[in-house]
Amino acid sequence: MKILSIILILASAFLSIKHGWDAFQPATAEQAKMMANLGITKSVMPYFGVFSIIVGLMLFFPQTFFLSNVLNAITIVLIMALSLKAGDYKMALIEIPFLAMPLILIWLKYPFKF
């Protein structure tokens, strides 16, 4: 279980930091179209980038582990909601495994007893 937790933490932190870093890079035509469909403007992207990098780094600290995963999950649900609002069901479905990752990390750290 510890190995799985470490792998998931590293993967989740890597994805958050990578997406945060990518927010500061010029968007490709496909990325620009996707952001326009979601209603996200270019001026908001740096804020999402900083937020994503901070959330990714927070994963490594035990005091902020839970909050980081909750913020990650909320962000993914927001992306799914914006996708559904735009009528892009495929993108919303693609986000499901990424939504599962922070929830699984929370469960591995704080297992629920039934």
Side-chain angles (χ1 to χ4, degrees):
M1 282 294 204
K2 289 220 181 243
I3 294 172
L4 177 63
S5 294
I6 291 170
I7 291 170
L8 285 175
I9 289 170
L10 291 174
S12 186
F14 172 76
L15 287 172
S16 284
I17 294 169
K18 181 189 176 307
H19 287 131
W21 183 258
D22 288 346
F24 294 102
Q25 308 305 317
T28 65
E30 184 179 322
Q31 290 170 334
K33 181 182 173 204
M34 180 182 69
M35 292 300 146
N37 286 344
L38 295 179
I40 299 173
T41 62
K42 278 186 176 181
S43 60
V44 177
M45 288 306 295
Y47 297 107
F48 279 125
V50 169
F51 176 77
S52 184
I53 290 171
I54 290 171
V55 167
L57 293 175
M58 286 171 55
L59 278 171
F60 294 116
F61 301 100
Q63 302 90 343
T64 58
F65 180 81
F66 180 79
L67 178 62
S68 176
N69 280 302
V70 169
L71 291 173
N72 229 344
I74 290 170
T75 303
I76 294 167
V77 168
L78 176 65
I79 291 169
M80 292 173 76
L82 291 172
S83 299
L84 292 173
K85 181 181 172 192
D88 191 352
Y89 301 105
K90 183 179 178 183
M91 182 189 293
L93 291 173
I94 288 171
E95 293 294 325
I96 291 173
F98 299 106
L99 176 60
M101 193 179 318
L103 300 177
I104 291 171
L105 279 168
I106 291 170
W107 178 72
L108 288 172
K109 176 94 173 171
Y110 309 103
F112 301 106
K113 306 291 183 200
F114 291 103

